[in-house]
Structures are given as structure tokens and as C-alpha cells.
Amino acid sequence: MSSQWVDFAAIKRSVDIRQVLDHYCVRLKRVRQEYLRGLCPLPTHGSAQSRESFGVDTGRNVWACHSASCCQARRGKVGGNILDLVACMEACSVREAALRLRGWGDVSVETGLRDQLVSKGKRSGRSQEELPRLSFTLRLQWHPYLEQRGILGQTAARFGVGYYGGSGFLRGRMVFPIHNVGGELVAYAGRTMDGREPRYLFPPGFHKSQVVFNLHRAVEFAARQGGVAIVVEGFFDCLKVHQAGYGNVVALMGASLSDRQSELLHTYFRELVVMLDGDEAGRRATRALAARWPHAHVPWVPAGGQPDQLSSEQIKRTLLKASGTLGA
Ligand SMILES: [Zn+2]
């Protein structure tokens, strides 16, 4: 990824800001010939009362949000061009925004000849780049839903999990910060609390298959545990297992294991305990993991069960049965 040369000017020239708005399903009102206005779609937007602070000049292909929260998050910048918009929406660098925009199927991008030549399958020594750090943080708060799910205040604080009351696509959701292995914040994911679909929402363009949740903390703990890590599916599974005394737990954020996730696990751990959900998808993912880790320990999770529904005692018993070496 890092070796790709990006012609920012060519991209800005060839993409209409309305295509970018369409891509994110942002609906604005036309207030003048070349001027649209509406609710701010940016994840940085924290002022719930501000109305229609987001404006777009389709003639000049630029946008702006005048709310204090957005300006502050962008260190005083009020708006920008299409690449700034994508960078804001996806919480990534401008360079990364250009690369992602180029990969969208619904927008055709003029990339320039040199760009096409250089991007032809050139790869750096490491198979994949670390995800870039976010340039902002969201203000999250404790919510009774966490208690309903059996999460203690100290666990929520540890993971930085909380309710997001601001605006943007995570509004009204239980939000989980996601870090790269270096401990840098790279994305937020949000879960509905009332069963609404989609239950989990990730930032557009963010691929959860490129990350292992809680890896940066687990690596440290695993080093003291002989390189053993516990692999679970979801955020809440991860929090509950951590709460039971196992700091060396990581989550796949779903019931599938990508090549990149497998590579990350192989890089940082010597041995795995695979504790996925007791449903069909979980069993399938367990078999896939076990195929790549022939010595993986697989504790028995009852049919239909999942770690986040177990108490700390039950989690300990389940893990102790899987391996005598896994003291909490
Ligand atoms: Zn805004």
C-alpha cells in the first residue's frame, strides 16, 4: 500500500463531490444553484443541537462544517476538498483517503499514467501496512446497557467503551475504540442497543479483517503467559474474558478469520486457545483456525452459547478444562 504513488490533483479533478456524498448516502437540501446544506455526517460532529451546519459548494467541489466540534476536531479547519471529506468520514489520512476512494466501485477516478504504472502489484516487504492513527477521539460515556451485558465499570474504562451521544453514524450506539498493535486508535465501531440492524457498524472503508481487537493489550499479557492468547469472536466476549482475569484475550470481530488476522496471530503468539461461539458460524471458524494452528486448544462452548453470556467463574472453568497451563 505504502509504495503506491498517489496523484492527489488528478483525483480531486476527476471526482465530483456529489459522488462522494452519494457514496456515504448523505442527503442535503439545495439552497442555491450550486450550494447544498444539511445535517453534518462527519463522525467528529459532537454538537447534537446544531442544525444543518454542513454545506457543500458543488461548483468549487468543496465542503464546510461550521460547528465547534468539527472545527475543533480538525484543529480549526472549517472544511476542505473531497479528499479531506473522505479522510474525515473514514477517519484516515488524506493519502489513505485517496487510496480508498480509488478502490470504490461506484466512483470512477482518473489516476494518471505514472500512478497506474507504479501501483501495479508493487508490495513492500511487510505484507500489510499498519492502519493509520485517528486524528480525533470521541467523547463516550457510561451507559446502563453495559451493566446489562455484565460489564463492570473498570472493564469499560480499561477498554474505553461507552455510549456515544454525539452525531454522525455512531450516534446513539455503544462504541468500541479499536487500536493497532502499537496501541494507536485506528477506528471506532458502534453497536445498537435495541436490536436494530445492522447490529454493528464500522466506519466506511474500514476493514475489520485487517485488525485483531485488543491485540496491543493481549501481546503484553501473552508475553507473561508463554505466548498464549485466547481468541474470541466479539467485543463483549473479549471484555467478559478479560474481566474474568485473562488479559491475553483478542477478538476477531466476527466469525471469520482473514489471512491478515491469521498472520497477526502467528506474528505475536505461540499458542492459541480458540473460544468462539457455539453456533454453526463459530464452529466453522473454529475449524478454520484449528486447521492453521494444529496445536490450538479448543474449550467446549455449549451449542448456542457464547463467552459473553458466561460468568467469570464459568469462563475460568471452561478455560481451565481446555488447558492446565492457563492460570488466570
Ligand atoms: Zn460537523
Side-chain angles (χ1 to χ4, degrees):
M1 242 174 169
S2 62
S3 59
Q4 291 183 39
W5 188 80
V6 184
D7 189 343
F8 293 112
I11 294 176
K12 280 189 276 186
R13 204 168 46 233
S14 65
V15 178
D16 186 322
I17 196 162
R18 282 168 294 195
Q19 291 178 282
V20 177
L21 296 172
D22 281 348
H23 179 84
Y24 292 120
C25 304
V26 177
R27 299 279 165 262
L28 303 172
K29 282 187 301 202
R30 180 170 297 281
V31 289
R32 281 199 304 277
Q33 177 76 40
E34 290 188 327
Y35 194 71
L36 313 174
R37 178 172 281 291
L39 292 173
C40 177
L42 303 179
T44 47
H45 197 93
S47 6
Q49 300 98 319
S50 65
R51 307 171 72 93
E52 311 202 323
S53 57
F54 188 78
V56 168
D57 186 328
T58 55
R60 292 170 53 220
N61 228 26
V62 294
W63 61 276
C65 173
H66 293 275
S67 90
S69 54
C70 279
C71 295
Q72 198 184 2
R74 303 186 61 237
R75 298 189 187 92
K77 274 180 87 180
V78 176
N81 58 45
I82 55 154
L83 290 175
D84 297 316
L85 179 55
V86 175
C88 259
M89 287 297 289
E90 313 229 336
C92 66
S93 67
V94 167
R95 186 193 149 72
E96 178 66 16
L99 292 171
R100 290 187 189 178
L101 199 152
R102 233 167 32 172
W104 293 354
D106 52 349
V107 175
S108 70
V109 181
E110 175 199 335
T111 52
L113 183 62
R114 180 171 165 210
D115 203 9
Q116 289 164 22
L117 290 175
V118 179
S119 68
K120 262 187 188 168
K122 208 177 165 194
R123 283 194 148 193
S124 56
R126 288 183 67 105
S127 66
Q128 209 95 33
E129 280 266 288
E130 277 265 305
L131 291 169
R133 185 168 56 153
L134 283 196
S135 58
F136 64 89
T137 53
L138 298 178
R139 205 174 309 145
L140 306 175
Q141 57 201 122
W142 171 258
H143 190 282
Y145 178 76
L146 287 164
E147 202 177 341
Q148 281 171 37
R149 298 291 302 255
I151 304 301
L152 302 173
Q154 66 205 58
T155 309
R158 178 93 216 224
F159 283 80
V161 176
Y163 172 80
Y164 180 59
S167 59
F169 78 107
L170 292 173
R171 178 181 172 73
R173 285 177 177 254
M174 187 53 58
V175 168
F176 298 82
I178 300 170
H179 302 82
N180 62 24
V181 70
E184 293 175 329
L185 177 68
V186 295
Y188 286 104
R191 190 200 195 283
T192 50
M193 297 183 291
D194 55 7
R196 244 180 320 136
E197 296 290 339
R199 264 197 312 159
Y200 282 95
L201 216 51
F202 292 88
F206 171 80
H207 299 292
K208 61 186 171 128
S209 60
Q210 298 302 304
V211 192
V212 172
F213 179 69
N214 200 42
L215 184 61
H216 65 300
R217 295 188 196 94
V219 165
E220 239 175 80
F221 281 93
R224 298 199 288 267
Q225 308 256 349
V228 182
I230 302 164
V231 182
V232 296
E233 282 187 28
F235 296 111
F236 279 109
D237 301 319
C238 191
L239 267 60
K240 287 295 287 281
V241 172
H242 184 100
Q243 199 165 274
Y246 300 90
N248 55 334
V249 60
V250 295
L252 301 176
M253 298 182 282
S256 60
L257 173 76
S258 70
D259 288 345
R260 173 59 177 161
Q261 287 174 324
S262 177
E263 185 191 312
L264 284 169
L265 295 175
H266 269 287
T267 304
Y268 295 102
F269 305 113
R270 192 179 55 81
E271 211 175 314
L272 293 188
V273 178
V274 184
M275 196 182 180
L276 307 184
D277 294 359
D279 57 9
E280 188 41 48
R283 301 266 195 255
R284 207 179 313 120
T286 301
R287 284 193 293 273
L289 246 163
R292 297 187 193 205
W293 290 74
H295 305 298
H297 303 269
V298 183
W300 180 248
V301 178
Q306 46 192 68
D308 77 298
Q309 298 163 345
L310 304 177
S311 69
S312 287
E313 277 315 308
Q314 289 169 318
I315 289 171
K316 277 183 201 166
R317 272 204 300 276
T318 308
L319 287 171
L320 276 171
K321 261 187 259 166
S323 165
T325 62
L326 283 169

